[in-house]
Amino acid sequence: MAEVVVVEDERAAGELVAGSIVSLIRQKPDAVLGLATGSTPLASYRALAARIGAESIDVRGVRGFALDEYVGLPDGHPESYRAVITREVVEPLGLTPELVRVPNGDPATIEHAGADYEAAITAAGGVDLQILGIGRTGHIGFNEPGSSLASLTRVKTLTEPTRVDNARFFDSPEDVPMHCITQGIGTILRARHLVLLAFGDAKAEAVAAAVEGGVSASQPGSAIQLHPHATVIVDEAAASRLANLEYYRHAWANKPAWQGI
Ligand code: F6R
């Protein structure tokens, strides 16, 4: 079962995630981070940037792989995940740009972009810590309901609810691309530590299904139950539909400090 940690707010979650990544980088200066985009991980990236600055942590060797990318956005589009990762992660953290990859959503090379990305992750020795958000539909990465639990990086069609949710980043809902290239659920499960973050009421159902529902391709987030080291960090609102909430609080309150998340 995933470890569930209920925190006061996104800032507190960010501190926890940043602490875990800082210890990882101290042990492994060329650590491989799995990077989610969207709103959810932003507080974690900010907290991590602050720790890196305050403690002068050398991150020049840290590597990164984004979860996903839209297909067909023009090069340099501000909402392409390449641009978002550069703006929100690479620049504030001071990472080496060449060491941070994003799936290539160029239609000209899309047929082999998934296989290329898988090969790059394997060549890097796999992802050490994968940050995940979760969509209202239950998606992780852009693996919408119905995605194979064994899937690898490939092109997917976004659901309408996901396009509507992501319309806030574009001028209009029609501008949200129909297709994306995303790490598969099988890819995500190969990472050595999964850290899934969720905040707010709108995520409560997806979180409950992921943590306590049956494992099913219909609920892609539920795949985290198959992972031996998955941490779910949620605020009270996102935790509100969890049946075993009191036990999660009890386990966290009594967790040996040396274990970390
Ligand atoms: C982003 C990603 C998605 C988001 C999810 C939640 O790289 O893979 O799974 O994590 O759509 O988005 P936000 O955080 O904007 O609510």
Side-chain angles (χ1 to χ4, degrees):
M1 194 199 80
E3 171 173 52
V4 178
V5 184
V6 185
V7 293
E8 200 179 326
D9 53 19
E10 296 184 37
R11 197 201 50 76
E15 298 295 331
L16 263 184
V17 175
S20 182
I21 296 178
V22 165
S23 337
L24 170 67
I25 296 172
R26 288 200 193 285
Q27 283 162 36
K28 185 178 177 188
D30 64 346
V32 180
L33 304 179
L35 303 165
T37 50
S39 308
T40 305
L42 293 179
S44 297
Y45 296 143
R46 275 197 292 273
L48 183 56
R51 291 276 308 259
I52 290 169
E55 297 168 39
S56 305
I57 299 164
D58 184 356
V59 294
R60 285 170 301 176
V62 171
R63 295 166 290 167
F65 286 92
L67 273 173
D68 39 23
E69 176 60 290
Y70 293 112
V71 171
L73 285 183
D75 236 15
H77 189 291
E79 293 310 326
S80 71
Y81 284 172
R82 161 54 72 195
V84 172
I85 289 284
T86 301
R87 199 164 62 229
E88 308 288 359
V89 184
V90 176
E91 291 175 351
L93 270 57
L95 303 185
T96 306
E98 301 75 48
L99 297 183
V100 180
R101 303 261 313 233
V102 178
N104 186 348
D106 181 351
T109 51
I110 201 71
E111 277 184 47
H112 54 86
D116 292 350
Y117 205 62
E118 289 292 327
I121 296 175
T122 303
V127 170
D128 291 302
L129 185 149
Q130 175 66 58
I131 298 173
L132 295 170
I134 188 163
R136 271 193 307 151
T137 63
H139 69 225
I140 51 173
F142 272 144
N143 295 283
E144 297 284 22
S147 296
S148 158
L149 300 180
S151 51
L152 300 179
T153 306
R154 77 255 183 257
V155 172
K156 290 291 288 180
T157 306
L158 294 171
T159 58
E160 280 313 296
T162 298
R163 291 184 72 223
V164 168
D165 283 349
N166 287 8
R168 69 191 193 278
F169 298 115
F170 291 82
D171 291 335
S172 80
E174 301 78 60
D175 291 345
V176 183
M178 184 69 73
H179 295 106
C180 63
I181 172 165
T182 180
Q183 286 190 30
I185 297 176
T187 318
I188 292 168
L189 289 177
R190 288 180 188 161
R192 287 180 272 279
H193 182 193
L194 303 182
V195 179
L196 188 149
L197 302 164
F199 310 110
D201 290 332
K203 301 291 175 76
E205 242 168 70
V207 166
V211 175
E212 296 177 340
V215 174
S216 158
S218 301
Q219 283 294 341
S222 67
I224 64 169
Q225 295 176 42
L226 299 169
H227 197 283
H229 188 187
T231 310
V232 175
I233 307 178
V234 282
D235 63 4
E236 295 285 347
S240 60
R241 299 278 174 92
L242 290 167
N244 290 325
L245 191 51
E246 285 320 306
Y247 172 67
Y248 307 139
R249 291 192 209 279
H250 172 72
W252 178 248
N254 291 289
K255 185 169 182 173
W258 58 264
Q259 274 186 339
I261 57 170

mmCIF file of all heavy atoms in Angstrom, residues 35-41 67-68 81 132-136 139-143 162 166 168-169 182 203, ligand 1:
data_model
loop_
_atom_site.group_PDB
_atom_site.id
_atom_site.type_symbol
_atom_site.label_atom_id
_atom_site.label_comp_id
_atom_site.label_asym_id
_atom_site.label_seq_id
_atom_site.Cartn_x
_atom_site.Cartn_y
_atom_site.Cartn_z
ATOM 1 N N LEU A 35 9.892 14.306 -13.585
ATOM 2 C CA LEU A 35 9.292 15.625 -13.365
ATOM 3 C C LEU A 35 7.878 15.715 -13.935
ATOM 4 O O LEU A 35 7.668 15.481 -15.131
ATOM 5 C CB LEU A 35 10.175 16.678 -14.035
ATOM 6 C CG LEU A 35 11.635 16.680 -13.546
ATOM 7 C CD1 LEU A 35 12.518 17.473 -14.503
ATOM 8 C CD2 LEU A 35 11.719 17.239 -12.129
ATOM 9 N N ALA A 36 6.939 16.054 -13.067
ATOM 10 C CA ALA A 36 5.572 16.321 -13.537
ATOM 11 C C ALA A 36 5.444 17.812 -13.823
ATOM 12 O O ALA A 36 6.148 18.631 -13.240
ATOM 13 C CB ALA A 36 4.572 15.918 -12.461
ATOM 14 N N THR A 37 4.542 18.163 -14.709
ATOM 15 C CA THR A 37 4.195 19.564 -14.935
ATOM 16 C C THR A 37 2.809 19.798 -14.305
ATOM 17 O O THR A 37 2.383 19.025 -13.461
ATOM 18 C CB THR A 37 4.207 19.893 -16.440
ATOM 19 O OG1 THR A 37 3.438 18.894 -17.105
ATOM 20 C CG2 THR A 37 5.610 19.886 -16.990
ATOM 21 N N GLY A 38 2.113 20.855 -14.722
ATOM 22 C CA GLY A 38 0.820 21.168 -14.106
ATOM 23 C C GLY A 38 1.047 22.004 -12.853
ATOM 24 O O GLY A 38 2.183 22.332 -12.499
ATOM 25 N N SER A 39 -0.043 22.330 -12.160
ATOM 26 C CA SER A 39 0.040 23.223 -10.998
ATOM 27 C C SER A 39 0.550 22.506 -9.750
ATOM 28 O O SER A 39 1.192 23.115 -8.894
ATOM 29 C CB SER A 39 -1.352 23.777 -10.673
ATOM 30 O OG SER A 39 -1.938 24.337 -11.822
ATOM 31 N N THR A 40 0.206 21.224 -9.627
ATOM 32 C CA THR A 40 0.430 20.522 -8.364
ATOM 33 C C THR A 40 1.869 20.558 -7.849
ATOM 34 O O THR A 40 2.083 20.800 -6.663
ATOM 35 C CB THR A 40 -0.049 19.058 -8.510
ATOM 36 O OG1 THR A 40 -1.409 19.084 -8.946
ATOM 37 C CG2 THR A 40 0.063 18.294 -7.219
ATOM 38 N N PRO A 41 2.881 20.312 -8.690
ATOM 39 C CA PRO A 41 4.235 20.229 -8.115
ATOM 40 C C PRO A 41 4.945 21.568 -7.944
ATOM 41 O O PRO A 41 6.078 21.599 -7.470
ATOM 42 C CB PRO A 41 4.994 19.357 -9.141
ATOM 43 C CG PRO A 41 4.261 19.525 -10.417
ATOM 44 C CD PRO A 41 2.864 19.956 -10.115
ATOM 45 N N LEU A 67 7.403 13.855 -17.548
ATOM 46 C CA LEU A 67 6.444 12.768 -17.758
ATOM 47 C C LEU A 67 5.857 12.784 -19.156
ATOM 48 O O LEU A 67 5.578 11.737 -19.738
ATOM 49 C CB LEU A 67 5.269 12.940 -16.796
ATOM 50 C CG LEU A 67 5.367 12.350 -15.410
ATOM 51 C CD1 LEU A 67 4.171 12.797 -14.594
ATOM 52 C CD2 LEU A 67 5.437 10.825 -15.479
ATOM 53 N N ASP A 68 5.617 13.991 -19.666
ATOM 54 C CA ASP A 68 4.802 14.050 -20.878
ATOM 55 C C ASP A 68 4.988 15.353 -21.643
ATOM 56 O O ASP A 68 5.653 16.278 -21.168
ATOM 57 C CB ASP A 68 3.318 13.826 -20.530
ATOM 58 C CG ASP A 68 2.912 14.500 -19.223
ATOM 59 O OD1 ASP A 68 3.582 15.445 -18.813
ATOM 60 O OD2 ASP A 68 1.922 14.076 -18.625
ATOM 61 N N TYR A 81 5.404 21.515 -22.662
ATOM 62 C CA TYR A 81 5.994 21.097 -21.390
ATOM 63 C C TYR A 81 7.510 21.287 -21.403
ATOM 64 O O TYR A 81 8.123 21.440 -20.355
ATOM 65 C CB TYR A 81 5.573 19.667 -21.055
ATOM 66 C CG TYR A 81 4.133 19.610 -20.548
ATOM 67 C CD1 TYR A 81 3.488 18.399 -20.351
ATOM 68 C CD2 TYR A 81 3.434 20.782 -20.254
ATOM 69 C CE1 TYR A 81 2.183 18.353 -19.874
ATOM 70 C CE2 TYR A 81 2.126 20.749 -19.774
ATOM 71 C CZ TYR A 81 1.507 19.529 -19.593
ATOM 72 O OH TYR A 81 0.219 19.488 -19.103
ATOM 73 N N LEU A 132 4.581 12.892 -9.189
ATOM 74 C CA LEU A 132 3.348 12.697 -9.952
ATOM 75 C C LEU A 132 2.257 13.632 -9.437
ATOM 76 O O LEU A 132 2.130 13.827 -8.220
ATOM 77 C CB LEU A 132 2.824 11.269 -9.777
ATOM 78 C CG LEU A 132 3.664 10.122 -10.316
ATOM 79 C CD1 LEU A 132 3.098 8.788 -9.810
ATOM 80 C CD2 LEU A 132 3.696 10.147 -11.840
ATOM 81 N N GLY A 133 1.462 14.167 -10.347
ATOM 82 C CA GLY A 133 0.184 14.748 -9.983
ATOM 83 C C GLY A 133 -0.868 13.716 -10.394
ATOM 84 O O GLY A 133 -0.544 12.635 -10.896
ATOM 85 N N ILE A 134 -2.126 14.040 -10.189
ATOM 86 C CA ILE A 134 -3.196 13.148 -10.664
ATOM 87 C C ILE A 134 -4.313 14.017 -11.229
ATOM 88 O O ILE A 134 -4.630 15.079 -10.670
ATOM 89 C CB ILE A 134 -3.680 12.200 -9.535
ATOM 90 C CG1 ILE A 134 -4.652 11.148 -10.075
ATOM 91 C CG2 ILE A 134 -4.266 12.970 -8.348
ATOM 92 C CD1 ILE A 134 -4.862 9.947 -9.132
ATOM 93 N N GLY A 135 -4.870 13.577 -12.343
ATOM 94 C CA GLY A 135 -5.953 14.337 -12.952
ATOM 95 C C GLY A 135 -7.290 13.955 -12.337
ATOM 96 O O GLY A 135 -7.418 12.911 -11.690
ATOM 97 N N ARG A 136 -8.288 14.774 -12.561
ATOM 98 C CA ARG A 136 -9.656 14.448 -12.100
ATOM 99 C C ARG A 136 -10.106 13.114 -12.650
ATOM 100 O O ARG A 136 -10.895 12.403 -12.049
ATOM 101 C CB ARG A 136 -10.626 15.512 -12.612
ATOM 102 C CG ARG A 136 -10.788 16.666 -11.707
ATOM 103 C CD ARG A 136 -11.976 17.474 -12.134
ATOM 104 N NE ARG A 136 -11.938 17.865 -13.545
ATOM 105 C CZ ARG A 136 -13.011 18.075 -14.297
ATOM 106 N NH1 ARG A 136 -14.207 17.885 -13.810
ATOM 107 N NH2 ARG A 136 -12.885 18.474 -15.557
ATOM 108 N N HIS A 139 -5.957 10.181 -14.202
ATOM 109 C CA HIS A 139 -4.733 9.950 -14.966
ATOM 110 C C HIS A 139 -3.479 10.287 -14.176
ATOM 111 O O HIS A 139 -3.482 11.181 -13.343
ATOM 112 C CB HIS A 139 -4.761 10.690 -16.311
ATOM 113 C CG HIS A 139 -4.675 12.175 -16.233
ATOM 114 N ND1 HIS A 139 -5.494 13.004 -16.972
ATOM 115 C CD2 HIS A 139 -3.877 13.013 -15.539
ATOM 116 C CE1 HIS A 139 -5.178 14.272 -16.724
ATOM 117 N NE2 HIS A 139 -4.199 14.297 -15.863
ATOM 118 N N ILE A 140 -2.424 9.524 -14.447
ATOM 119 C CA ILE A 140 -1.075 9.885 -14.003
ATOM 120 C C ILE A 140 -0.251 9.978 -15.282
ATOM 121 O O ILE A 140 -0.463 9.203 -16.206
ATOM 122 C CB ILE A 140 -0.461 8.895 -12.979
ATOM 123 C CG1 ILE A 140 -0.542 7.441 -13.451
ATOM 124 C CG2 ILE A 140 -1.113 9.058 -11.612
ATOM 125 C CD1 ILE A 140 0.199 6.449 -12.548
ATOM 126 N N GLY A 141 0.709 10.939 -15.323
ATOM 127 C CA GLY A 141 1.217 11.296 -16.630
ATOM 128 C C GLY A 141 -0.027 11.691 -17.417
ATOM 129 O O GLY A 141 -0.983 12.234 -16.861
ATOM 130 N N PHE A 142 -0.055 11.388 -18.693
ATOM 131 C CA PHE A 142 -1.305 11.587 -19.435
ATOM 132 C C PHE A 142 -1.906 10.228 -19.792
ATOM 133 O O PHE A 142 -2.494 10.042 -20.846
ATOM 134 C CB PHE A 142 -1.064 12.434 -20.674
ATOM 135 C CG PHE A 142 -1.166 13.918 -20.438
ATOM 136 C CD1 PHE A 142 -0.333 14.794 -21.107
ATOM 137 C CD2 PHE A 142 -2.115 14.454 -19.567
ATOM 138 C CE1 PHE A 142 -0.429 16.170 -20.921
ATOM 139 C CE2 PHE A 142 -2.219 15.828 -19.362
ATOM 140 C CZ PHE A 142 -1.375 16.687 -20.041
ATOM 141 N N ASN A 143 -1.757 9.271 -18.880
ATOM 142 C CA ASN A 143 -2.364 7.953 -19.077
ATOM 143 C C ASN A 143 -3.811 8.048 -18.635
ATOM 144 O O ASN A 143 -4.127 7.959 -17.439
ATOM 145 C CB ASN A 143 -1.607 6.904 -18.258
ATOM 146 C CG ASN A 143 -0.187 6.749 -18.745
ATOM 147 O OD1 ASN A 143 0.054 6.112 -19.774
ATOM 148 N ND2 ASN A 143 0.767 7.357 -18.036
ATOM 149 N N THR A 162 -9.858 16.412 -19.445
ATOM 150 C CA THR A 162 -8.468 16.851 -19.265
ATOM 151 C C THR A 162 -8.182 18.072 -20.128
ATOM 152 O O THR A 162 -7.528 19.025 -19.691
ATOM 153 C CB THR A 162 -7.501 15.700 -19.630
ATOM 154 O OG1 THR A 162 -7.754 14.624 -18.728
ATOM 155 C CG2 THR A 162 -6.051 16.123 -19.540
ATOM 156 N N ASN A 166 -7.081 21.698 -18.686
ATOM 157 C CA ASN A 166 -5.820 22.336 -19.093
ATOM 158 C C ASN A 166 -6.034 23.586 -19.947
ATOM 159 O O ASN A 166 -5.072 24.279 -20.272
ATOM 160 C CB ASN A 166 -4.930 21.326 -19.818
ATOM 161 C CG ASN A 166 -4.348 20.325 -18.818
ATOM 162 O OD1 ASN A 166 -4.738 20.312 -17.658
ATOM 163 N ND2 ASN A 166 -3.416 19.513 -19.249
ATOM 164 N N ARG A 168 -7.047 26.251 -19.014
ATOM 165 C CA ARG A 168 -6.651 27.456 -18.264
ATOM 166 C C ARG A 168 -5.264 27.953 -18.659
ATOM 167 O O ARG A 168 -4.934 29.106 -18.417
ATOM 168 C CB ARG A 168 -6.735 27.196 -16.751
ATOM 169 C CG ARG A 168 -5.696 26.231 -16.200
ATOM 170 C CD ARG A 168 -6.076 25.849 -14.758
ATOM 171 N NE ARG A 168 -5.027 25.167 -14.016
ATOM 172 C CZ ARG A 168 -4.765 23.870 -14.107
ATOM 173 N NH1 ARG A 168 -5.463 23.095 -14.943
ATOM 174 N NH2 ARG A 168 -3.815 23.327 -13.371
ATOM 175 N N PHE A 169 -4.471 27.082 -19.247
ATOM 176 C CA PHE A 169 -3.126 27.500 -19.670
ATOM 177 C C PHE A 169 -3.113 28.041 -21.108
ATOM 178 O O PHE A 169 -2.086 28.504 -21.585
ATOM 179 C CB PHE A 169 -2.158 26.310 -19.592
ATOM 180 C CG PHE A 169 -1.993 25.768 -18.186
ATOM 181 C CD1 PHE A 169 -2.428 24.487 -17.863
ATOM 182 C CD2 PHE A 169 -1.399 26.543 -17.198
ATOM 183 C CE1 PHE A 169 -2.264 23.987 -16.566
ATOM 184 C CE2 PHE A 169 -1.232 26.052 -15.906
ATOM 185 C CZ PHE A 169 -1.670 24.772 -15.592
ATOM 186 N N THR A 182 3.264 10.501 -23.666
ATOM 187 C CA THR A 182 3.402 10.364 -22.210
ATOM 188 C C THR A 182 4.150 9.088 -21.829
ATOM 189 O O THR A 182 4.000 8.054 -22.503
ATOM 190 C CB THR A 182 2.015 10.358 -21.523
ATOM 191 O OG1 THR A 182 2.198 10.229 -20.103
ATOM 192 C CG2 THR A 182 1.109 9.236 -21.991
ATOM 193 N N LYS A 203 -9.682 16.743 -6.364
ATOM 194 C CA LYS A 203 -8.848 15.550 -6.523
ATOM 195 C C LYS A 203 -9.238 14.421 -5.556
ATOM 196 O O LYS A 203 -8.672 13.324 -5.621
ATOM 197 C CB LYS A 203 -7.366 15.916 -6.311
ATOM 198 C CG LYS A 203 -6.815 16.980 -7.254
ATOM 199 C CD LYS A 203 -6.706 16.456 -8.672
ATOM 200 C CE LYS A 203 -6.280 17.538 -9.666
ATOM 201 N NZ LYS A 203 -4.876 17.871 -9.600
HETATM 202 C C1 F6R B 1 1.610 16.592 -15.842
HETATM 203 C C2 F6R B 1 0.858 15.343 -15.752
HETATM 204 C C3 F6R B 1 -0.534 15.286 -15.280
HETATM 205 C C4 F6R B 1 -0.857 16.262 -14.154
HETATM 206 C C5 F6R B 1 -2.332 16.205 -13.820
HETATM 207 C C6 F6R B 1 -2.694 17.160 -12.717
HETATM 208 O O1 F6R B 1 2.923 16.351 -16.308
HETATM 209 O O2 F6R B 1 1.400 14.358 -16.105
HETATM 210 O O3 F6R B 1 -0.801 13.981 -14.845
HETATM 211 O O4 F6R B 1 -0.074 15.954 -13.047
HETATM 212 O O5 F6R B 1 -3.064 16.522 -14.959
HETATM 213 O O6 F6R B 1 -2.554 18.472 -13.176
HETATM 214 P P1 F6R B 1 -2.564 19.682 -12.170
HETATM 215 O O7 F6R B 1 -1.350 19.532 -11.303
HETATM 216 O O8 F6R B 1 -2.429 20.912 -13.020
HETATM 217 O O9 F6R B 1 -3.824 19.594 -11.396
#
